[in-house]
Amino acid sequence: MVQAGEVRGGVHFHSAALTSAPRPAQLPGNVGGFVNRIDELRSLHALLELPPPGTQQNSGVLRIAVVVGTAGVGKTSLAIRWAHQIKEHFPDGQLYVNLRGYDPGPPVIVTDVLGRFLRALDVPLEHIPTGEEPRAELFRSVTAGRRVLIVLDNAATASEIRPLLPGSSSCLVAITSRTRMSGLVVREGAHRVGVETLSQAESVQLLRTVFAGYRTGDDQEELAELARLCARLPLALRIVAERAAARPRMPLRDLIADLRDESGLWDALSVTGEGEAEEADAVRTVFAWSYRTLTPQSARMFRLLGLHPGPEFRVEAAAALAATTTVRARRHLDSLAAAHLLEECGHDRYQFHDLLRAYAVDQTQREESPGDRRAALERVLGWYLHSAAAAALAGSCSYTMPLTLEPVDGHVRPMSFDDGDDGKAGIAWYETERDNLITAVRIAGAVGLDRVAWQIPAVLTMVIADREPADTWLPAQRMALESALRAGDRYGEAITLDNLGIAYRHLFRLAEAEEYFSAALNILQELGDVFGIARAANGLGVTHMFAHRVEDATTCFEQALEQANELDNVLYTGAFTRNLGWALLECDELDRAEELLSSSAAILADAKEPLEQAEALTLLSAVHRRAGRFTPANETAEQALAIAGEADGKLFESLALLELGRNSLAQEEATEALAHLQQAAALFQRIGRPDLQAAAWDATGEAYLLLGRVEEAVAFHRQACSAFRSRDDRWSLALSLARLAVALTRQGFPQEAQEQRLEALRLLTAFHDTMARARRSEVEAAARAET
């Protein structure tokens, strides 16, 4: 039976089917109160104009707009305004990311951005490679020929931009940056649009736009002076205008006097480049002036938000930081948003401009004692830990190791999720908070909150395993391991090692996965933790199966099953019994495998786990097929297909179809086999299982060979070999190479066929089980027959 990757034997209990993603529409909301920028918009619109008929001007060249200017000048507002105006020209969707190049927190990782873009473009999880370069290559392939608008906001360097550029001229990229991005202009031909501070007339117009309905009769000269004090920067102008609008009876001359008297309270803003000192002085003056007008409670909320793991947050997280209720927190946040010190970016969700976040960080350092800062951090990180645990419980199975969570302050109210929505709310919360959760691990580790650092990824074990490319959480998981080691927490160390084993198994880096699972198992045996031993032994067994070390896998599954029986856990008893049956099937011990798989199917049926039951039945069908019992093999696979279909488990339907195809092949019913295999391959592609799709291709090659369509058989076997080689799946590659050799011989290429057989034999010498010896003998016999 072909390995089923991270589901086969991984004991993932599934609930939701995969669905096709809609076209991405990620642009932030359009900007209100926008003023002028007519020349800049006209310059940007020029990128959409086609070259004159009959010319080759810029043919096939990616269109890139770079919007540059000083901090607070309105680059993002302009780019978003323009993007909304032109988005209808890009029917395949819009992608947006804030790269946070100037944020005081950690920068966004380009590899993660590529992963998110690929997911948004409906690339299945298992098709997303690890590493920046492979993802960039896939991104260019996926966007080729599509019309997609991509907005890369707040970029600091050209180097972080280049991997995010599509290769297709049908796309358009808009970038905002404080630097001139000369490299992009020279090398990629980017169209640079400089955004200067507003003119005096434009600044006054912006002030009057905000004042509309609140103030009338303000003196033109005083408005001009107010604009000058704000250095004609939109960010500063909006803050000042909001305060003036909120005090319609306050004469502008009094407000101007306040601004003139305001000393610079902020020295954290770093200023680079000539000509920016005036703007920086104006910004910090306006921030300090606005901050000092807040109520003490709102001011405290503002500065404590500087401790939040990321620039975007929910109202509940803010409440945890300030040790207040959600109602009061929302009131303070709304006040800060009204003063333009925060921006509302969704229901009960807010975000910082990077300059304001830096100011909040500075004020926290100035005004909060180390003890108070520590307590606030403990509250918000504890909120993330306990909310993540609730989300995982609602959205994944109970395979997560039992934990006693680090306690939180009594003022903290973690998120709770409805059990009746199949975990959708919990998963949605996780996907929104993913970046904050990863940063929370980093911060917790840095400040010595070690239990929080390792527990966040621990509670999210199955959510991460089922929903993320394996490398997304690797840095955080490594930090979690460092934290557990530093704390001397052996249980935390074991859980984190086990999680790293799952991640490396996802990456098919099996030697490293084995190392982590073995280390986890050793610690859990020292601790006498029966559940943990069962889990780690099972994880190690699945890793051995991926490497086709079936005897080692059998030992591990027997150990896992023994622990499950000791726990009297019916669910794990059924799952581990199935895994042991899988290993014995690969050892060609068919009688014992049949007994175990029949028992497993019955146990899992009683446990009401239809998808796990369907997998047990599919394996049982393979036993019947190998024993030459084709009728029960077909009936059992059809039963698995029906159960999986009823439970809407596409992966398990695909596995049953693959087995039906193999059963038809065994009976030399090639046409019927092709029908099953084509359905299986299409489903495997749809759900993102390239490893299993390759297995379906390999079997399809056998079917075409039976039909005498040799050229097509060779093509499918080559395709399968390529997929197995890229995954470094040496066992599957060896078997596929042997089948390719048979097809090449039929095609009249005996020399290449021998080369493929010799490589297959070299690979098979690394395997020593009964099945490997039998396959080696078959290939050797075929090689002798050709000489």
Side-chain angles (χ1 to χ4, degrees), residues 266-456:
W266 185 25
D267 56 15
L269 177 64
S270 61
V271 181
T272 59
E274 296 180 3
E276 292 186 357
E278 180 185 350
E279 288 89 348
D281 287 341
V283 168
R284 69 169 175 259
T285 297
V286 169
F287 286 179
W289 169 77
S290 184
Y291 173 71
R292 286 174 54 167
T293 66
L294 297 172
T295 66
Q297 296 80 7
S298 292
R300 180 171 179 268
M301 174 65 80
F302 175 80
R303 61 180 178 265
L304 287 179
L305 286 169
L307 298 172
H308 186 268
E312 187 181 310
F313 45 86
R314 287 186 62 91
V315 63
E316 291 89 348
L321 265 169
T324 190
T325 65
T326 302
V327 172
R328 288 174 181 164
R330 186 182 293 109
R331 187 162 60 243
H332 297 317
L333 294 173
D334 287 342
S335 297
L336 294 171
H340 273 278
L341 296 176
L342 286 179
E343 179 184 351
E344 194 168 4
C345 57
H347 175 64
D348 274 352
R349 198 161 187 87
Y350 300 80
Q351 66 182 3
F352 268 122
H353 187 285
D354 53 13
L355 293 178
L356 283 158
R357 188 178 182 209
Y359 182 67
V361 169
D362 187 71
Q363 294 311 304
T364 308
Q365 297 292 328
R366 289 174 181 270
E367 299 188 38
E368 298 289 330
S369 70
D372 287 345
R373 292 199 301 269
R374 173 83 176 194
L377 261 181
E378 289 177 356
R379 288 193 298 270
V380 73
L381 297 177
W383 181 84
Y384 273 108
L385 168 61
H386 285 257
S387 297
L393 185 62
S396 68
C397 73
S398 59
Y399 194 56
T400 300
M401 291 279 282
L403 291 175
T404 301
L405 297 180
E406 183 72 359
V408 290
D409 185 286
H411 293 95
V412 175
R413 296 290 181 269
M415 299 293 293
S416 60
F417 302 96
D418 183 5
D419 293 335
D421 67 351
D422 293 327
K424 293 178 182 177
I427 294 301
W429 178 88
Y430 164 77
E431 291 180 342
T432 301
E433 298 289 352
R434 178 194 298 107
D435 287 352
N436 287 335
L437 287 162
I438 291 173
T439 305
V441 174
R442 182 189 64 81
I443 292 173
V447 302
L449 294 172
D450 292 320
R451 280 178 57 81
V452 173
W454 71 256
Q455 285 189 350
I456 289 175

